[in-house]
Amino acid sequence: MVAPPDNDVLWARSLHHSHNGSPALSGVSLGVREGEILAVSGARGSGKTTLLRCLSGQLVPKEGEVWFNSTAVHTMPPMQRERLRRDRFGWIDSDPVLVPELNTWENAALPMLLRGSSRRAAKAAAMEWLERLDIGMCARKRPHALLQSQRQRVAIARALVSTPSVLFADEPTAPLYAADRSQVLRTLTTAARSHRITVVLATLDDEVATLADRTVVLVDGRRVGALRPAEAEGQAACSLSV
Amino acid sequence: MLALRLARGSHPLVLLRRLLVAAASAGVGFLLLCTLGWAMNHPAGSVLRLLWCVLPLAATVQFAVAAARTDPSTRPRPGLSAVGLGPAQLTALAAASTTLSCTLGSVVALLFFLHLRGDLTGLPFDGAASDLLGAGQPLPLAAALTLLAVVPVLAFLATGFALRPRKSRLVDDADPERPATPKPAPSGLPWGVALTAAGLAVETYASRGGSEAPLPLPGRFEGSPAGVLAGWSLTALGLALAGPGIAHLCGRLLQMLRPGATRLLAGRVLMDEAARIGRPLGVVCAVVSGGFAAAALYGPGDPRPFGPLTGLGATLIVGCTVATLLTAVLEARHARTETTAALVRVGAPTGLLRTAAALRAGALLAVFGPLTWLIAALAAVPLTG
């Protein structure tokens, strides 16, 4: 195994994956630089979610390597990957899946509570992020009493509260109206830039391209468009016929 | 036919649940037929035996409904409403498959009964119980069929009623993005406590009464058994009513006083699941304390010993109530699948989720165990004293 380039916080090399035989990724390579906002775009079913799940250690790719800060994620045992996800990564779903039994601030503070920080510190951090995302007034409501856009903002606060190294957002604006969508995207990117959080953003939205530093386009599980030389080396197998 | 076709493709655990329903139905059918056989030889006093069959019957129907509720093939499926598997059709399907399992059980019971009676030959234990089951007399066909139809018909009605398409259910299904509105805190606790206390009081009072009794109990019992049984039913009803409230209270206590992630998740989830788990838990509690009381009643040197049919009935009651509780736990777990997956994505360690589940179980055991023992002790005082 070759160690990745130093300036990339996250690095993937010729990832192949299939779900029970139906192909999802076939030979995707990419590098994510520290503090950058990388958009992954492509039609539905082009492998965006699978790519994000592989990068965040939820899935182990069938072939290929994933490196995070010079540690190999694809060879880690499950417990260690779980700890990595909890301590260094954040995740935002396309649907805001909150714990229905907890109220808003408890949902937002959950990652900090899971890391074992004190209740007071977790609450302070959660309230700060909720205020910043304009939902401080809903802190004591349960998820069922919130609007969909408010729930999505709670999910974003939950992902940001522990200031992760890398934040993965899987179509975070999919269930929202256009006005909510741009607001959510702007708050997300602003927060990421002000805290130097690296963001990998899967999206169908063209607006994201203007907010992101770079855009990677997936088509049928393959990356299209220009490649950096460092990323091209793993792709010798799929060159001429495409 | 659709019910059969769906049953063929379902998960082994689902099939096992249906098989258990069929087995319970077979047990109850056999008990009812035995009562019929006994009644052919002893026309007087057999109504009482028939009445005792009501308890296993109720437990079996409760289990059948719980199994139908957990059945994945009866869960609303958003995509399949368009091809005709809407809410009403799913209810009909659930009722049909429950009836199917129960009818299967009844047929097995009939065959087994005829076999033990000696009407069907060629297998071991031919006519092993021919004296007990009224062999030598022709079996009244209409009576036997009526008794055998009791379980399937009741299960059909109860399943159809429990799973009928209700407005709230439909609204929840129509909006998959919106989290389900939490159920209000169970309100049955005061009623449950009052009924339990009243039942115990009635039982204690009745146990001092006269000895010439319409409903003889086994053992050296001197009081008025009808009053005792009425008191007992009240106590059991009270426990079933109080169960959700007590479970909710357990959850509330668990998440009090600055909880960390484990206690917070365990307590809140228990508070939310109380309505689902509390009732079967209360019923199990009542059955177990009833078992203790019955054990106190059946002393050594009893003139009316613990027979095989009593044993079958007791096994049915205990087995069905415990199976209902386990099914309810499974249902609660299924309802939380998505949230659990989201927690894992956030990075919640699976160990923490297991600890939370163990904490919930421990809290319930710590409260319901002593409660069961207390009720059993209080119920046994007038019987043995």
Side-chain angles (χ1 to χ4, degrees):
Chain A
M1 285 188 282
V2 188
D6 284 342
N7 55 345
D8 285 351
V9 66
L10 198 64
W11 190 75
R13 186 185 140 106
S14 60
L15 294 178
H16 287 261
H17 194 77
S18 57
H19 301 294
N20 281 336
S22 42
L25 289 179
S26 32
V28 176
S29 297
L30 82 147
V32 188
R33 287 173 225 136
E34 180 151 14
E36 107 175 308
I37 296 178
L38 174 71
V40 179
S41 73
R44 281 188 79 134
S46 60
K48 299 188 300 292
T49 304
T50 313
L51 176 63
L52 259 66
R53 282 166 58 101
C54 284
L55 289 178
S56 66
Q58 295 177 33
L59 276 182
V60 179
K62 293 265 160 58
E63 285 173 44
E65 300 168 10
V66 179
W67 292 77
F68 169 69
N69 277 348
S70 308
T71 48
V73 178
H74 56 283
T75 53
M76 276 185 186
M79 296 293 278
Q80 211 175 334
R81 270 188 283 130
E82 191 180 279
R83 200 175 315 128
L84 180 73
R85 277 210 300 282
R86 180 166 72 246
D87 295 345
R88 310 301 298 275
F89 292 166
W91 179 271
I92 302 173
D93 269 312
S94 55
D95 274 329
V97 189
L98 304 175
V99 182
E101 293 90 5
L102 306 182
N103 65 27
T104 301
W105 79 258
E106 285 164 339
N107 262 303
L110 197 59
M112 294 201 62
L113 291 172
L114 288 173
R115 287 181 185 190
S117 59
S118 80
R119 192 175 163 86
R120 189 188 303 256
K123 182 171 183 179
M127 288 306 289
E128 190 191 325
W129 275 110
L130 290 176
E131 290 292 346
R132 204 175 291 181
L133 292 167
D134 282 344
I135 35 172
M137 66 289 183
C138 311
R140 300 211 155 269
K141 285 187 187 170
R142 294 276 204 95
H144 72 94
L146 300 179
L147 301 175
Q148 182 77 347
S149 60
Q150 290 173 329
R151 279 197 288 270
Q152 187 62 310
R153 272 184 271 171
V154 176
I156 292 173
R158 180 175 70 181
L160 287 170
V161 73
S162 49
T163 47
S165 307
V166 185
L167 177 61
F168 296 95
D170 181 15
E171 300 190 29
T173 55
L176 303 181
Y177 277 167
D180 291 326
R181 196 179 298 166
S182 59
Q183 195 202 356
V184 159
L185 272 180
R186 255 181 280 126
T187 44
L188 181 64
T189 47
T190 315
R193 291 207 193 282
S194 63
H195 286 72
R196 299 272 305 154
I197 297 173
T198 312
V199 179
V200 183
L201 192 65
T203 182
L204 289 167
D205 208 342
D206 292 334
E207 191 192 342
V208 174
T210 59
L211 294 166
D213 296 325
R214 263 193 314 144
T215 304
V216 167
V217 183
L218 292 185
V219 174
D220 292 345
R222 289 173 199 279
R223 189 174 162 185
V224 296
L227 297 179
R228 285 192 291 164
E231 290 160 356
E233 58 183 315
Q235 293 213 332
C238 62
S239 53
L240 292 175
S241 60
V242 184
Chain B
M1 282 319 284
L2 183 60
L4 273 177
R5 181 64 194 85
L6 283 176
R8 237 186 73 199
S10 47
H11 191 267
L13 200 64
V14 178
L15 286 181
L16 177 73
R17 279 203 294 270
R18 293 219 180 132
L19 209 60
L20 283 179
V21 170
S25 162
V28 174
F30 186 71
L31 276 183
L32 288 169
L33 285 181
C34 286
T35 314
L36 178 66
W38 197 80
M40 286 191 296
N41 285 338
H42 314 75
S46 49
V47 175
L48 194 59
R49 291 196 160 220
L50 205 58
L51 279 182
W52 277 109
C53 291
V54 167
L55 290 180
L57 179 67
T60 302
V61 170
Q62 186 205 16
F63 177 46
V65 171
R69 210 194 276 273
T70 341
D71 206 349
S73 67
T74 64
R75 205 163 296 150
R77 305 179 210 194
L80 291 189
S81 191
V83 295
L85 274 181
Q89 180 68 38
L90 281 178
T91 307
L93 201 61
S97 48
T98 307
T99 316
L100 198 70
S101 313
C102 292
T103 313
L104 177 70
S106 289
V107 170
V108 170
L110 180 65
L111 290 180
F112 194 61
F113 176 75
L114 291 179
H115 174 57
L116 282 189
R117 215 167 158 258
D119 292 350
L120 298 177
T121 51
L123 286 169
F125 303 113
D126 250 349
S130 49
D131 303 337
L132 187 67
L133 303 178
Q137 300 184 32
L139 190 67
L141 188 67
L145 287 186
T146 309
L147 285 179
L148 282 178
V150 165
V151 180
V153 167
L154 280 184
F156 175 80
L157 292 179
T159 311
F161 183 74
L163 295 180
R164 70 192 184 280
R166 266 166 296 195
K167 207 176 171 200
S168 62
R169 242 184 129 204
L170 290 181
V171 168
D172 281 350
D173 298 340
D175 194 0
E177 281 177 1
R178 193 183 167 76
T181 316
K183 297 167 208 77
S187 57
L189 189 55
W191 274 106
V193 172
L195 279 181
T196 310
L200 287 174
V202 166
E203 191 191 352
T204 314
Y205 183 75
S207 65
R208 299 183 309 173
S211 58
E212 204 46 49
L215 285 170
L217 276 183
R220 310 163 303 286
F221 185 65
E222 298 294 318
S224 149
V228 169
L229 286 180
W232 233 118
S233 317
L234 271 185
T235 312
L237 188 66
L239 277 176
L241 273 181
I246 299 174
H248 190 264
L249 208 61
C250 286
R252 186 170 286 270
L253 288 177
L254 208 56
Q255 54 94 48
M256 262 179 19
L257 295 177
R258 315 184 66 77
T262 317
R263 267 202 303 139
L264 191 66
L265 281 177
R268 290 288 171 81
V269 171
L270 186 52
M271 280 166 74
D272 213 54
E273 283 176 357
R276 203 171 261 149
I277 288 182
R279 184 128 316 152
L281 198 58
V283 172
V284 168
C285 187
V287 165
V288 170
S289 54
F292 277 129
L297 202 58
Y298 281 109
D302 201 324
R304 302 171 64 180
F306 197 81
L309 289 184
T310 322
L312 178 62
T315 313
L316 275 177
I317 295 174
V318 173
C320 281
T321 46
V322 170
T324 307
L325 177 61
L326 292 181
T327 313
V329 170
L330 204 66
E331 189 193 352
R333 210 181 116 193
H334 273 308
R336 295 186 43 77
T337 318
E338 203 184 338
T339 315
T340 313
L343 277 174
V344 169
R345 276 199 295 276
V346 168
T350 39
L352 180 132
L353 298 178
R354 278 197 208 113
T355 316
L359 208 59
R360 286 201 289 275
L364 287 180
L365 202 65
V367 170
F368 276 88
L371 181 71
T372 309
W373 178 82
L374 183 72
I375 300 278
L378 283 177
V381 164
L383 298 182
T384 52

